[in-house]
Amino acid sequence: MSTKLKLKGNWNEMKGKLKEKYGELTDDDLAYAEGQEDQLLGKLQKKTGAAKEELSKYLFED
């Protein structure tokens, strides 16, 4: 996975969409700091059970 992945659009907007799609997510689950994409994906994958590829496609663009 490229470390140069960038979040699509506004992060606050993306958090809202993730909470809609995965209702079990909390603000703590969605805490994001630049450069910590892998940690974010790992937390989301563990919490939602979704595939890493699915989450990556939803959140990032090349």
Side-chain angles (χ1 to χ4, degrees), residues 13-43:
E13 182 179 323
M14 185 61 63
K15 286 194 304 187
K17 289 180 181 180
L18 283 166
K19 283 183 178 181
E20 270 183 35
K21 186 169 182 167
Y22 304 105
E24 65 273 16
L25 294 176
T26 66
D27 286 333
D28 287 341
D29 295 326
L30 296 171
Y32 168 74
E34 190 172 343
Q36 295 183 342
E37 291 87 359
D38 286 338
Q39 291 91 333
L40 175 65
L41 280 173
K43 277 199 284 186

Side-chain angles (χ1 to χ4, degrees), residues 2 7 9 11-12 17 22 30 32-34 39 45 49 60 62:
S2 171
L7 287 171
W11 180 235
N12 288 328
K17 289 180 181 180
Y22 304 105
L30 296 171
Y32 168 74
E34 190 172 343
Q39 291 91 333
Q45 185 179 17
F60 303 107
D62 294 323

